[in-house]
Structure formats: structure tokens, C-alpha cells
Amino acid sequence: MSTVIKNGTIVTADLTCKADVLVDGGKIVEIGPDLKGDETLDATGCYVMPGGIDPHTHLEMPFMGTYSSDDFESGTRAALSGGTTMVVDFALPSPEQGLLDALQMWDNKSTRAHCDYSFHMAITWWSEQVFNEMQTVVQERGITSFKHFMAYKGALMVNDDEMYASFKRCSELGAIPLVHAENGDVVAELQRKLLEEGNNGPEAHAYSRPPEVEGEATNRAIMIADMAGVPLYVVHVSCEEAHEAIRRARMLGKRVWGEPLIQHLTLDESEYAHPDWDHAARRVMSPPFRNQKHQDSLWNGLASGSLSCVATDHCAFTTEQKRYGVGDFTKIPNGTGGLEDRLPMLWTHGVGTGRLTPNEFVAVTSTNIAKILNCYPRKGAVLVGADADLVVWDPEKEKTISAASQQSAIDYNVFEGKTVKGLPRFTLTRGRVAVNDGEFVGQEGHGEFVRREPNGAVNKALSSWKELTAPRKVERTGIPASGV
Ligand code: URP
Ligand code: ZN
Ligand code: ZN
Ligand code: ZN
């Protein structure tokens, strides 16, 4: 059965035009005037855009003694409700667990997804087994991005030697390394000191992770990537210090991409000063929310192109889970939700304020990441032949965000009470209508895994570091006898 989206204005990363879109067999089959289909979706007054791609989620992830509470069912239901049609989740081996073993767990969990998904693989420890399995992950499993945690000391953190080895392996395989950039050693020391001084509340979480720890780690990761000859993707960039490092690297011709989160763009550090413990703890995530100066930096980066993609890092914990950290902020599970709210919040605070154009909105919510992760134009495009992952966006539709009406399984929403203007009228996942006039009508298990190939076009850092320092042995005539 074919579906035609009529009377809308197509908005992509690089053009705006009035045309109908005909969808059949899960694909876009025709774009043009006066198209007919078996079923018609009226897009009058709406923008027809590529569905959002969230490059950073943690669904049902074992973390800090518990599991994040949204799974692939509720997580992708939230995603589609907010206009996001693909998520990229992190397969996370526990230390000593093999990559393929962890991947099996993620394969099992993801069968319930309502929309398409892909995975990044996390490198949480280093060994010959990990080195070998990386090849299978890339070449047989179609996962071409590897995440490294520079924080969470004693749990997920990798050291510089491990990171360098893994980055070099990524270079050989044509894969892209990702980093969570915070100096985990300094964070651990600041946490220890704060607790010793009796600072055990959620506000201390922010004190233990100042912008400097993020700036330092971002610079370090960029230099290590350069030495390994790979591009680099920096997740959850929250501050000017990290953004500045990325901007400078890009100016020098390095392929470094930065990903701010919708939470850091729209919520600030005053959340941690809230007198209610639960309110503050629910907003504990790493890096923490920052002040206006940092928020402005992130918005400017999106507009100017020095930052590339807006994500959520959706890692949702209930209030009960957050309370594991009463009396010790280091035990509050780190993470916040946002899957349903990313597009409406970015539209409202970006397009609605004039900080972003609608085309830039599409670029940073969908197209840029599809290109970086090498699934463009199957995803992130409104083109004949592309998957019909589409959102029919009503710029006049308003709502007030509330946990009472959200899809996420948790009992609160960090954006509670915020009014958004700009919401999906329809969301389509591979041609299937999953949101109809704002109502969720998706199908559990409809989502498919999106396999990706190494991206030859981007798998190169432009630095000449390797050539400049290629070891050249000096022939010498006089070599003194050894010893004293
Ligand atoms: O606090 C956060 N960001 N939790 C999720 C895991 C991570 O660091 O991305
Ligand atoms: Zn992280
Ligand atoms: Zn994350
Ligand atoms: Zn289906």
C-alpha cells in the first residue's frame, strides 16, 4: 500500500520546496506535484523533514549498579512520538566481557524496537581479544564506531595507552572513535575531596566535573586521535573549553565532530541548586549542566558549523534509582532522558528564536550524523530511494511537556512545565505511520538494525603528524663504548 504526503513543504539540510512525497515499500518512490497514493496524509501548513536520528542513547543499559529504565520498546516509542526515527545505542561490554558477547545482549534487547536503530560499540577494556573482535564488529556486524570513556574511573574508563591502541585499530579498520571526554582521574580526586569535606549532595556532582576536566580531555583525545591518524567524534560537548578545542582542530584541517545535547543547550547549572534533593538528583548527568556562557557557545557552534549534531544521551533513571545516591552523590546514577523532547525543544529554542534555520535544524538533528556514520542518504534525506523515515512537522502545534503524558517509563521529565511550539503531526518509520495526528500508533518490533560500512571518505585525519615523525635511524660514526 502506498502513502502520499500532500500539501507540505519539504525541508532538508540544503533545500526547502513545496512538493508531495510518495512512499511505497518503506521507501520514498516519488517527489513532485499532485501525487496520488492509496492513503493520503495531509501536511498542509507543515514541513516534511527527514526523521530525527539520535546518535546517542543508552537503552536498558547496566550502569552504576542498576539498569537505565527505558528499554528499546519505551525508548523508541518516545523517539517516534517526538519525530525521531532512528537511534544509535551503545553496546557496552562490562570489563573483561568480549565485544561479540556484549553485542549478543544488545541484539536480544533491540528486537522490541519500534524504529530503526544502529549501534556503537564501547571499548571498556583492552586486550588481544578486543583487538581481534573489533575487526569482526566492523566487517561482519556493520558497526563502525567505537566509544571510549575517559571518565568513570574504576568502571568504564580507559587509559591513554588503551585509547591510543584502540584509535590505531580504528584507523586500520576504517572506523570512527568516539570519546566521552572528561579527565576521570581528576574527577575521582575532586569527588573524594568533596565527600571528605561533607559535600555529599547532588550539587557536588557538578562541582566535581568543572569545564576544565572536559576541556583537558577533549584536547587530549584530539591529539591522540591525530597521532593515531583517525577522525574523532566527541559526545556530549557541554562547555566552551571543549568546543574551543574542537573548533581549533577543525580550523587546522582535522576531522573532529562535536555533539552537544539538547539538555545542555536548554537547562543550566541552577538546576543543581534546587532545594529539593530529588529535583537536583534527577538532573545529575555527566558532564553536568553549565551556565549561560557555555550554552551560548554551544548554540553558536551549531549555527556556525563547528558543532555538528544534537543528541540526547538518553539514559533515564527513576527517582527511586536516583535515590541510591542519598548521602553520597557519586552513587546517583548518571543520566537524563530527552528522546521525546529533543526535536520539539530544539525547534522551539533554536528555530523559534531565530538561532537556527529550519535547514540547519535538519542538518544537526539528522543529516549530519547520517553522513558521519555513513548511512546517508538511506537515512537523513528526503530523496527518491531513501528510507521513508519522515516527520511531518507542525510548527504551530503546542504542548507543555509533562511526565504525566510522556512515553518514557520514568516518573519525571527534566523539561517538565516547558512549553514547546513545533511538534510532529505524523511520524513515519520506513513508510509505516507511527504517529498519527499526535497519537502513537507504532508497532513493537518494526525497527530493524541499520548496518553501516566503513566510511572511506572520512576515515582520515588530515594531519601530517605521521610523516613528520616517521622514525628515521641516524647512521653514526662514533659510538662510545657502553658503561662507565
Ligand atoms: O551521565 C551520563 N551521560 N550518563 C550516560 C552515560 C554517559 O556517560 O554517556
Ligand atoms: Zn558519556
Ligand atoms: Zn552517553
Ligand atoms: Zn514493519
Side-chain angles (χ1 to χ4, degrees):
M1 192 185 75
S2 64
T3 305
V4 65
I5 303 170
K6 284 200 84 70
N7 308 320
T9 301
I10 296 172
V11 175
T12 68
D14 48 24
L15 62 82
T16 304
C17 71
K18 266 198 105 61
D20 298 343
V21 179
L22 183 65
V23 169
D24 203 358
K27 301 271 184 194
I28 297 172
V29 294
E30 201 177 342
I31 299 170
D34 305 319
L35 301 181
K36 304 228 172 338
D38 302 325
E39 176 194 33
T40 301
L41 302 178
D42 180 23
T44 304
C46 289
Y47 298 121
V48 182
M49 308 191 289
I53 300 172
D54 193 333
H56 189 160
T57 69
H58 302 281
L59 300 174
E60 207 186 328
M61 180 178 81
F63 190 46
M64 297 186 71
T66 185
Y67 280 81
S68 58
S69 280
D70 277 315
D71 58 15
F72 277 82
E73 193 286 313
S74 63
T76 55
R77 175 153 47 82
L80 287 164
S81 298
T84 288
T85 53
M86 174 172 165
V87 300
V88 191
D89 203 77
F90 290 85
L92 192 89
S94 47
E96 314 269 294
Q97 186 186 24
L99 307 186
L100 299 173
D101 219 43
L103 204 44
Q104 185 60 52
M105 291 166 56
W106 258 258
D107 283 342
N108 295 344
K109 295 191 249 204
S110 58
T111 55
R112 299 182 62 201
H114 291 273
C115 70
D116 287 1
Y117 57 91
S118 190
F119 298 139
H120 308 288
M121 173 57 70
I123 300 296
T124 54
W125 62 297
W126 190 250
S127 67
E128 201 178 317
Q129 182 191 350
V130 171
F131 176 92
N132 290 329
E133 288 188 348
M134 281 175 81
Q135 180 164 11
T136 313
V137 167
V138 172
Q139 295 174 358
E140 288 171 30
R141 300 301 314 273
I143 297 167
T144 57
S145 39
F146 292 90
K147 163 84 165 284
H148 305 75
F149 292 92
M150 300 170 79
Y152 306 124
K153 189 175 180 179
L156 303 173
M157 182 169 125
V158 286
N159 294 322
D160 292 351
D161 54 347
E162 299 169 314
M163 203 163 72
Y164 181 53
S166 175
F167 281 19
K168 281 196 296 186
R169 185 62 167 152
C170 286
S171 172
E172 287 167 9
L173 296 169
I176 296 176
L178 279 60
V179 282
H180 168 135
E182 287 183 305
N183 186 316
D185 287 315
V186 174
V187 169
E189 177 52 22
L190 292 176
Q191 288 177 328
R192 190 197 60 75
K193 189 159 169 294
L194 283 156
L195 284 173
E196 190 182 86
E197 291 164 353
N199 274 307
N200 63 20
E203 67 281 10
H205 171 79
Y207 304 150
S208 72
R209 309 180 102 97
E212 286 76 8
V213 302
E214 190 182 340
E216 185 281 325
T218 306
N219 274 289
R220 179 158 39 103
I222 288 170
M223 293 303 182
I224 292 175
D226 209 11
M227 290 186 270
V230 273
L232 182 71
Y233 184 96
V234 185
V235 304
H236 50 47
V237 176
S238 76
C239 65
E240 163 58 15
E241 284 79 350
H243 178 199
E244 192 264 339
I246 293 164
R247 230 165 37 225
R248 179 158 28 84
R250 290 170 68 89
M251 239 161 52
L252 292 171
K254 301 176 188 184
R255 285 192 175 90
V256 177
W257 300 284
E259 168 207 90
L261 307 181
I262 189 61
Q263 296 92 320
H264 290 114
L265 288 161
T266 58
L267 300 171
D268 71 25
E269 62 185 4
S270 66
E271 302 282 356
Y272 303 117
H274 198 284
D276 178 24
W277 191 96
D278 284 339
H279 179 103
R282 286 161 173 169
R283 285 146 181 91
V284 162
M285 66 167 304
S286 297
F289 303 153
R290 309 291 192 191
N291 65 25
Q292 172 90 48
K293 175 191 94 168
H294 297 292
Q295 294 182 308
D296 286 344
S297 169
L298 302 181
W299 281 108
N300 293 344
L302 290 174
S304 68
S306 52
L307 297 174
S308 304
C309 313
V310 176
T312 61
D313 192 3
H314 188 100
C315 189
F317 296 102
T318 61
T319 302
E320 198 186 323
Q321 290 175 306
K322 290 283 186 178
R323 288 181 182 168
Y324 296 168
V326 173
D328 180 351
F329 70 91
T330 66
K331 297 195 165 56
I332 301 171
N334 284 203
T336 57
L339 259 171
E340 186 170 353
D341 309 311
R342 179 179 66 128
L343 264 55
M345 283 293 288
L346 191 74
W347 185 274
T348 304
H349 295 275
V351 181
T353 59
R355 281 193 276 214
L356 296 176
T357 67
N359 307 95
E360 287 164 349
F361 173 89
V362 173
V364 301
T365 56
S366 181
T367 307
N368 289 353
I369 194 64
K371 289 179 179 174
I372 293 167
L373 294 181
N374 206 22
C375 52
Y376 182 87
R378 174 176 167 195
K379 302 293 188 188
V382 182
L383 286 173
V384 171
D387 281 358
D389 277 7
L390 297 164
V391 60
V392 177
W393 191 259
D394 184 345
E396 297 301 324
K397 198 174 158 110
E398 283 187 54
K399 77 166 186 189
T400 301
I401 295 175
S402 169
S405 55
Q406 73 185 2
Q407 303 288 346
S408 166
I410 64 170
D411 57 317
Y412 62 92
N413 186 308
V414 295
F415 303 114
E416 183 77 32
K418 293 199 185 296
T419 298
V420 286
K421 188 174 177 192
L423 284 161
R425 181 181 293 176
F426 304 106
T427 310
L428 286 79
T429 157
R430 272 181 295 104
R432 189 182 190 287
V433 178
V435 174
N436 191 348
D437 208 7
E439 192 199 340
F440 185 76
V441 291
Q443 182 190 44
E444 184 174 325
H446 168 78
E448 288 177 359
F449 176 72
V450 178
R451 206 193 134 89
R452 300 178 285 113
E453 300 298 323
N455 188 345
V458 298
N459 179 42
K460 234 174 177 221
L462 293 184
S463 164
S464 52
W465 185 89
K466 270 190 178 166
E467 262 168 56
L468 290 176
T469 60
R472 209 168 296 132
K473 198 166 180 326
V474 175
E475 296 302 328
R476 292 203 164 82
T477 45
I479 301 177
S482 63
V484 262

